[in-house]
Amino acid sequence: MSVLVVGSVAFDAIETPFGKTDKIIGGAATFIALAASYFTKKINLISVVGGDFPKDKIALMQRKGINTEGLQIKENEKSFFWAGRYYNDLNTRDTLITELNVLANFDPIVPPSYQDCQFLMLGNLTPTIQRTVIERLHRRPRLIVMDTMNFWIQTAYEELLKTLKLVDVLSINDEEARMLSGEYSLVKAAKKILSLGPKVLVVKKGEHGALLFKEHRVFFAPALPLEEVFDPTGAGDSFAGGFIGYLAKTNDVSFENMKRAVLFGSAMASFCVQKFGTEALLDISDYQLNERVRQFVDLMQLEGEI
Ligand code: AMP
C-alpha cells in the first residue's frame, strides 16, 4: 500500500554534547519518508522547499523510492529552518530558532496521482495545512496518523483541535502529551487526548520507549539501550515512518498489528539517533533491520513461569 507523507522538508542546525552541525538536511517529512521507504516503495511526498534546498538531496529521496511530485520548490524563497540544542541527557532540547520561511504561506497541492491514498502520515506542520490535505483528498484514507509538536500546541491550539478530530492515530512525545492535555499523568493525558478525536495515541518517551493507548488497552515497548546516541533529531519522525510504513506494508490496522508497528517504529528511531541528521537512515540493510527488531523482541522476552 502507498503512504502519503506530509510535513516539513527543512534545514536543521543541531547542537548535542557530541558536536554541532551547520545547516544539514532535515524536516519531519524527510525523516518519515526515508524511514517508511524501508517498508514500501510507494511513498508520495507533499511539502515545500525554497530555491536554496540542494537538488541532489531531492534526487537522493527519489532514489529511495520517494515520489516528489508533490514537493513544491519556491525558487525565490528560503526553506524552513530549525535549530535546536540538546542537554546532556539527550532527552530534552531547546528550540533555538524556528524560521517558517516557505512554510508560512504553504498551499499543499495534492497531485491527482496521490488521490488513491490509503495511509496518510501527517508529519509535523501547521495543523491547518495538515487538515487541508485531508480535505483535498477525494476519499478518506484508511488510516490517518498525525504528529505535532509543542510549537503548534502553543501557537495554533484551536486549529490543532480541529485537525485532531479528523485523525485516527496521534503520535507525540510525553512532554507534548502533557502540554496538550494539561495532565501530568500520562494515563490521564491519554484519556483526555483520546476524547479529542484520535482512536489511538502513541506517546514516545525517547530512551524510555513508547506507549500505545486505545480505549482501555495499553501496550509498552522499550527503546533499545544504545551505547552511543549522537543526535536524537528526527527520532520521533523516524518512529512515525517505521510505524506507518509497517502498517502499510502489512495492510492491517488492528491494535495487535499496531503493537508490531511500534517495534518497527522504535527500530527505525534507534537507527536514526546513531548518526547526525538523516545520515543513519540512508543505508540500512534488511538484515540490519530484522536483527534490530529481533533485539527489541529479546528485550521484552521473559523466560520461565511467573
Ligand atoms: P523530531 O526530532 O522527531 O521531533 O523532529 C525534528 C524535525 O522536525 C527537524 O528535522 C525539524 O526540521 C522539524 N521541525 C522542527 N520544528 C518544526 C515545526 N514547528 N514544524 C515543522 N517541522 C518542524
Side-chain angles (χ1 to χ4, degrees), residues 203-211 220-224 239 262 266 296:
V203 180
K204 298 162 286 181
K205 289 163 59 65
E207 64 172 330
H208 305 298
L211 289 156
F220 171 72
L224 201 65
F239 174 94
V262 166
S266 304
F296 273 91

mmCIF file of all heavy atoms in Angstrom, residues 203-211 220-224 239 262 266 296:
data_model
loop_
_atom_site.group_PDB
_atom_site.id
_atom_site.type_symbol
_atom_site.label_atom_id
_atom_site.label_comp_id
_atom_site.label_asym_id
_atom_site.label_seq_id
_atom_site.Cartn_x
_atom_site.Cartn_y
_atom_site.Cartn_z
ATOM 1 N N VAL A 203 2.507 7.560 22.681
ATOM 2 C CA VAL A 203 3.318 8.526 23.433
ATOM 3 C C VAL A 203 4.767 8.034 23.414
ATOM 4 O O VAL A 203 5.072 6.969 23.957
ATOM 5 C CB VAL A 203 2.825 8.685 24.885
ATOM 6 C CG1 VAL A 203 3.706 9.700 25.617
ATOM 7 C CG2 VAL A 203 1.372 9.131 24.926
ATOM 8 N N LYS A 204 5.625 8.828 22.767
ATOM 9 C CA LYS A 204 7.042 8.458 22.669
ATOM 10 C C LYS A 204 7.777 9.049 23.864
ATOM 11 O O LYS A 204 7.576 10.218 24.199
ATOM 12 C CB LYS A 204 7.630 9.015 21.364
ATOM 13 C CG LYS A 204 6.964 8.441 20.118
ATOM 14 C CD LYS A 204 7.230 9.290 18.894
ATOM 15 C CE LYS A 204 6.435 10.575 18.898
ATOM 16 N NZ LYS A 204 6.633 11.425 17.730
ATOM 17 N N LYS A 205 8.604 8.210 24.484
ATOM 18 C CA LYS A 205 9.306 8.668 25.673
ATOM 19 C C LYS A 205 10.822 8.581 25.485
ATOM 20 O O LYS A 205 11.554 8.232 26.416
ATOM 21 C CB LYS A 205 8.862 7.837 26.887
ATOM 22 C CG LYS A 205 7.413 8.161 27.319
ATOM 23 C CD LYS A 205 6.806 7.102 28.210
ATOM 24 C CE LYS A 205 7.540 6.838 29.486
ATOM 25 N NZ LYS A 205 7.577 7.946 30.467
ATOM 26 N N GLY A 206 11.274 8.849 24.271
ATOM 27 C CA GLY A 206 12.710 8.871 23.998
ATOM 28 C C GLY A 206 13.383 7.578 24.405
ATOM 29 O O GLY A 206 12.938 6.483 24.044
ATOM 30 N N GLU A 207 14.435 7.694 25.215
ATOM 31 C CA GLU A 207 15.189 6.485 25.592
ATOM 32 C C GLU A 207 14.393 5.574 26.514
ATOM 33 O O GLU A 207 14.836 4.480 26.852
ATOM 34 C CB GLU A 207 16.512 6.872 26.260
ATOM 35 C CG GLU A 207 16.330 7.612 27.559
ATOM 36 C CD GLU A 207 17.643 7.817 28.316
ATOM 37 O OE1 GLU A 207 18.540 6.975 28.186
ATOM 38 O OE2 GLU A 207 17.748 8.826 29.030
ATOM 39 N N HIS A 208 13.174 6.035 26.935
ATOM 40 C CA HIS A 208 12.345 5.189 27.795
ATOM 41 C C HIS A 208 11.238 4.473 27.033
ATOM 42 O O HIS A 208 10.287 3.978 27.634
ATOM 43 C CB HIS A 208 11.770 6.006 28.955
ATOM 44 C CG HIS A 208 12.841 6.712 29.735
ATOM 45 N ND1 HIS A 208 13.825 6.042 30.395
ATOM 46 C CD2 HIS A 208 13.114 8.020 29.895
ATOM 47 C CE1 HIS A 208 14.656 6.903 30.952
ATOM 48 N NE2 HIS A 208 14.244 8.117 30.659
ATOM 49 N N GLY A 209 11.309 4.445 25.720
ATOM 50 C CA GLY A 209 10.370 3.635 24.962
ATOM 51 C C GLY A 209 9.113 4.384 24.526
ATOM 52 O O GLY A 209 9.090 5.608 24.453
ATOM 53 N N ALA A 210 8.080 3.620 24.234
ATOM 54 C CA ALA A 210 6.839 4.228 23.718
ATOM 55 C C ALA A 210 5.623 3.482 24.251
ATOM 56 O O ALA A 210 5.652 2.267 24.455
ATOM 57 C CB ALA A 210 6.845 4.174 22.192
ATOM 58 N N LEU A 211 4.557 4.242 24.488
ATOM 59 C CA LEU A 211 3.298 3.670 24.966
ATOM 60 C C LEU A 211 2.254 3.796 23.869
ATOM 61 O O LEU A 211 2.211 4.802 23.153
ATOM 62 C CB LEU A 211 2.796 4.454 26.189
ATOM 63 C CG LEU A 211 3.587 4.281 27.488
ATOM 64 C CD1 LEU A 211 3.393 5.490 28.394
ATOM 65 C CD2 LEU A 211 3.137 3.004 28.188
ATOM 66 N N PHE A 220 3.260 -1.319 25.900
ATOM 67 C CA PHE A 220 4.517 -0.594 26.106
ATOM 68 C C PHE A 220 5.651 -1.296 25.368
ATOM 69 O O PHE A 220 5.789 -2.513 25.463
ATOM 70 C CB PHE A 220 4.849 -0.523 27.603
ATOM 71 C CG PHE A 220 6.220 0.023 27.851
ATOM 72 C CD1 PHE A 220 6.495 1.373 27.656
ATOM 73 C CD2 PHE A 220 7.255 -0.806 28.248
ATOM 74 C CE1 PHE A 220 7.772 1.885 27.855
ATOM 75 C CE2 PHE A 220 8.543 -0.301 28.451
ATOM 76 C CZ PHE A 220 8.793 1.042 28.262
ATOM 77 N N ALA A 221 6.429 -0.538 24.645
ATOM 78 C CA ALA A 221 7.631 -1.103 24.010
ATOM 79 C C ALA A 221 8.840 -0.320 24.499
ATOM 80 O O ALA A 221 8.808 0.916 24.523
ATOM 81 C CB ALA A 221 7.529 -0.991 22.496
ATOM 82 N N PRO A 222 9.892 -1.011 24.901
ATOM 83 C CA PRO A 222 11.081 -0.295 25.373
ATOM 84 C C PRO A 222 11.839 0.329 24.202
ATOM 85 O O PRO A 222 11.575 -0.001 23.052
ATOM 86 C CB PRO A 222 11.930 -1.416 25.990
ATOM 87 C CG PRO A 222 11.522 -2.643 25.249
ATOM 88 C CD PRO A 222 10.082 -2.468 24.867
ATOM 89 N N ALA A 223 12.756 1.231 24.519
ATOM 90 C CA ALA A 223 13.704 1.680 23.495
ATOM 91 C C ALA A 223 14.947 0.825 23.685
ATOM 92 O O ALA A 223 15.190 0.319 24.779
ATOM 93 C CB ALA A 223 14.035 3.149 23.688
ATOM 94 N N LEU A 224 15.692 0.673 22.605
ATOM 95 C CA LEU A 224 16.888 -0.157 22.706
ATOM 96 C C LEU A 224 17.961 0.590 23.506
ATOM 97 O O LEU A 224 18.257 1.735 23.193
ATOM 98 C CB LEU A 224 17.392 -0.431 21.286
ATOM 99 C CG LEU A 224 18.295 -1.627 21.098
ATOM 100 C CD1 LEU A 224 17.544 -2.910 21.406
ATOM 101 C CD2 LEU A 224 18.796 -1.639 19.668
ATOM 102 N N PHE A 239 10.377 7.150 13.925
ATOM 103 C CA PHE A 239 9.435 6.233 14.554
ATOM 104 C C PHE A 239 8.133 6.223 13.742
ATOM 105 O O PHE A 239 7.614 5.159 13.372
ATOM 106 C CB PHE A 239 9.141 6.675 16.002
ATOM 107 C CG PHE A 239 8.067 5.866 16.672
ATOM 108 C CD1 PHE A 239 8.409 4.769 17.456
ATOM 109 C CD2 PHE A 239 6.719 6.170 16.499
ATOM 110 C CE1 PHE A 239 7.423 3.997 18.047
ATOM 111 C CE2 PHE A 239 5.733 5.399 17.084
ATOM 112 C CZ PHE A 239 6.084 4.313 17.863
ATOM 113 N N VAL A 262 4.789 -0.554 16.373
ATOM 114 C CA VAL A 262 5.537 0.231 17.361
ATOM 115 C C VAL A 262 6.976 -0.292 17.448
ATOM 116 O O VAL A 262 7.929 0.482 17.549
ATOM 117 C CB VAL A 262 4.853 0.186 18.756
ATOM 118 C CG1 VAL A 262 5.775 0.706 19.844
ATOM 119 C CG2 VAL A 262 3.558 1.000 18.738
ATOM 120 N N SER A 266 10.160 1.863 16.565
ATOM 121 C CA SER A 266 11.241 2.036 17.552
ATOM 122 C C SER A 266 12.581 1.639 16.945
ATOM 123 O O SER A 266 13.614 2.257 17.227
ATOM 124 C CB SER A 266 10.973 1.175 18.790
ATOM 125 O OG SER A 266 9.712 1.499 19.338
ATOM 126 N N PHE A 296 14.799 -6.021 19.893
ATOM 127 C CA PHE A 296 13.654 -5.472 20.649
ATOM 128 C C PHE A 296 12.818 -6.597 21.228
ATOM 129 O O PHE A 296 12.397 -6.547 22.379
ATOM 130 C CB PHE A 296 12.776 -4.601 19.739
ATOM 131 C CG PHE A 296 13.228 -3.182 19.679
ATOM 132 C CD1 PHE A 296 14.129 -2.778 18.709
ATOM 133 C CD2 PHE A 296 12.782 -2.258 20.595
ATOM 134 C CE1 PHE A 296 14.573 -1.469 18.652
ATOM 135 C CE2 PHE A 296 13.217 -0.946 20.549
ATOM 136 C CZ PHE A 296 14.111 -0.548 19.568
#
